[in-house]
Amino acid sequence: SSLTTRYFEQQTEDVPASQMDTIPPGHKLSKIEAALTPTPLGSAIYSMLLNITRNDTVTWRDISCVDAPIRQSNGLYDAPEGYTVFPCNLCSLPRLCTCQSVWPVGTGAPGILQEFPLIVRVKGFDMGTAIRFQEQNITVIYDTLPGQVKLQVDEYAKSPGFKVQAIWSEPMKEIGMVSTRPLVQGVLVEDYDAVVLDSSSIEVEIRPLGTGIAILSINGSIATSDLAGNTNDFTLNVNASTGDQKQVVYSDGPPLPSTLNFQYSRYKQSYEWPLAY
């Protein structure tokens, strides 16, 4: 696990072509076979550095939206040979992007944000010491797509309150912090805290102090970041913005006694007298 973690952190460094063999497309998934000499970082930690190639020939026109296919055990989606299915900012979730490429989309589609899956096959090695590493496949996500958020709540609610969930499209850093909590407007409410359900969702119990229409909203910001470090800072990239808004009609009790009044009025023509309603 130490090798895997170190590998992820340093996956962007270049590797000479003589040390890297690319498996031709034909496995339905992107695959890289690394034949690198591990660099010792300690008595039990080794690192391997690998550059991830991008496909600059794919343009926006080559990308289409599809319903999410079956997901495999390794986390990748089923796709025809030579194609890859992945989340990107061109298609609104739960629909996904797909294109004929086994490498992440490059400069041919400027501004694209994506979570492109790759499988890296790390060969086993024996350093002649007690450290040995068996060959294994590691799933790597080339991730430039910030998380997207949605609110989930019932449209109507009654006393003593109601619960709302903020659900992100992927695991987020510090999911329970204030910046990931929904804002309540339209009614006065008691102080509320977020309960972390998992790494991608929180739940908040809202207790309004009276009957009214509660407007719930949440927005991503520079403070909301996924595990790859992508934030929702729209000042850097307008495609990185995310947010959602819901309306809840809240009743604090039965309707109050009231009266009904009806009046009829009609516009007077110029020949009618008196000119009064």
Side-chain angles (χ1 to χ4, degrees):
S1 60
S2 298
L3 182 143
T4 302
T5 302
R6 186 68 63 177
Y7 171 82
F8 286 162
E9 291 175 352
Q10 305 190 38
Q11 62 182 348
T12 58
E13 287 200 25
D14 291 334
V15 175
S18 60
Q19 295 186 12
M20 182 175 65
D21 293 325
T22 303
I23 296 178
H27 302 272
K28 298 185 179 181
L29 306 172
S30 306
K31 291 181 180 289
I32 308 170
E33 185 171 0
L36 309 178
T37 302
T39 302
L41 300 177
S43 60
I45 301 177
Y46 290 80
S47 70
M48 289 182 291
L49 310 181
L50 183 67
N51 178 63
I52 294 180
T53 303
R54 296 200 299 169
N55 187 346
D56 294 333
T57 64
V58 176
T59 68
W60 286 107
R61 294 192 205 120
D62 301 320
I63 303 173
S64 57
C65 299
V66 296
D67 294 331
I70 298 175
R71 203 164 195 171
Q72 303 174 22
S73 59
N74 58 9
L76 278 67
Y77 295 97
D78 281 340
E81 184 173 336
Y83 285 76
T84 304
V85 177
F86 58 100
C88 82
N89 60 311
L90 180 63
C91 304
S92 299
L93 294 173
R95 305 202 80 198
L96 300 174
C97 302
T98 185
C99 65
Q100 189 174 3
S101 177
V102 294
W103 299 102
V105 180
T107 56
I112 187 172
L113 302 175
Q114 59 191 314
E115 291 181 3
F116 201 97
L118 299 164
I119 290 182
V120 177
R121 181 179 301 157
V122 183
K123 288 186 175 181
F125 62 86
D126 187 342
M127 301 300 293
T129 65
I131 301 299
R132 292 178 176 83
F133 187 76
Q134 294 182 347
E135 178 176 314
Q136 63 175 273
N137 293 337
I138 302 174
T139 301
V140 178
I141 304 297
Y142 178 82
D143 187 1
T144 60
L145 179 66
Q148 305 294 302
V149 65
K150 293 293 182 182
L151 293 177
Q152 185 171 296
V153 64
D154 292 333
E155 187 176 355
Y156 297 92
K158 63 180 181 179
S159 180
F162 57 91
K163 293 182 179 180
V164 55
Q165 292 184 1
I167 303 174
W168 291 81
S169 59
E170 58 181 303
M172 302 292 289
K173 292 181 180 178
E174 301 180 5
I175 186 67
M177 63 185 180
V178 175
S179 59
T180 60
R181 291 167 48 185
L183 176 67
V184 184
Q185 296 176 304
V187 294
L188 296 176
V189 299
E190 298 178 4
D191 291 338
Y192 56 92
D193 294 319
V195 176
V196 177
L197 300 180
D198 53 43
S199 59
S200 61
S201 61
I202 63 172
E203 184 177 77
V204 174
E205 184 173 3
I206 306 296
R207 291 178 177 267
L209 300 179
T211 298
I213 298 177
I215 307 297
L216 310 174
S217 61
I218 188 170
N219 289 298
S221 68
I222 191 174
T224 52
S225 171
D226 64 14
L227 299 185
N230 301 306
T231 70
N232 298 104
D233 185 3
F234 67 92
T235 61
L236 298 179
N237 189 333
V238 67
N239 294 324
S241 61
T242 185
D244 195 17
Q245 186 178 87
K246 297 292 185 182
Q247 176 178 290
V248 177
V249 179
Y250 177 78
S251 175
D252 195 34
L256 299 175
S258 60
T259 59
L260 179 64
N261 184 31
F262 177 79
Q263 293 181 343
Y264 172 76
S265 62
R266 180 177 64 83
Y267 178 78
K268 296 291 185 179
Q269 302 295 328
S270 60
Y271 57 83
E272 294 183 289
W273 188 264
L275 295 177
Y277 293 99

